[in-house]
Amino acid sequence: MEFTVQNVNKVLDEVQPYLISDGGNVAVHKIDPEKRSVELVLGGACGSCPSSTVRPPKRIILSYLM
């Protein structure tokens, strides 16, 4: 999958329901397709979840785009 703003948002749309069902959320803060960089804002339970440092949502999103 190509690294574009649209594809990052598609992947987020797939992942977000699972996070929300677990009391968390994630939102895109900034996307830089040239640098293949995504900055996310963790919300709800994700902001304080210990797992967010082990496998951050950014890594999940990027794995779909590789």
Side-chain angles (χ1 to χ4, degrees):
M1 185 180 284
E2 188 178 349
F3 191 96
T4 65
V5 172
Q6 293 81 14
N7 285 340
V8 169
N9 285 323
K10 282 182 189 178
V11 171
L12 184 59
D13 288 343
E14 291 181 31
V15 174
Q16 204 167 23
Y18 298 104
L19 299 173
I20 291 170
S21 71
D22 209 28
N25 205 350
V26 64
V28 174
H29 174 70
K30 181 180 175 182
I31 299 173
D32 186 341
E34 290 180 15
K35 294 182 180 178
R36 298 182 58 86
S37 154
V38 179
E39 290 182 29
L40 301 173
V41 177
L42 302 178
C46 288
S48 60
C49 177
S51 295
S52 68
T53 60
V54 175
R55 185 175 182 123
K58 176 182 174 183
R59 189 173 299 158
I60 296 168
I61 291 172
L62 291 176
S63 70
Y64 277 89
L65 298 170
M66 296 298 177

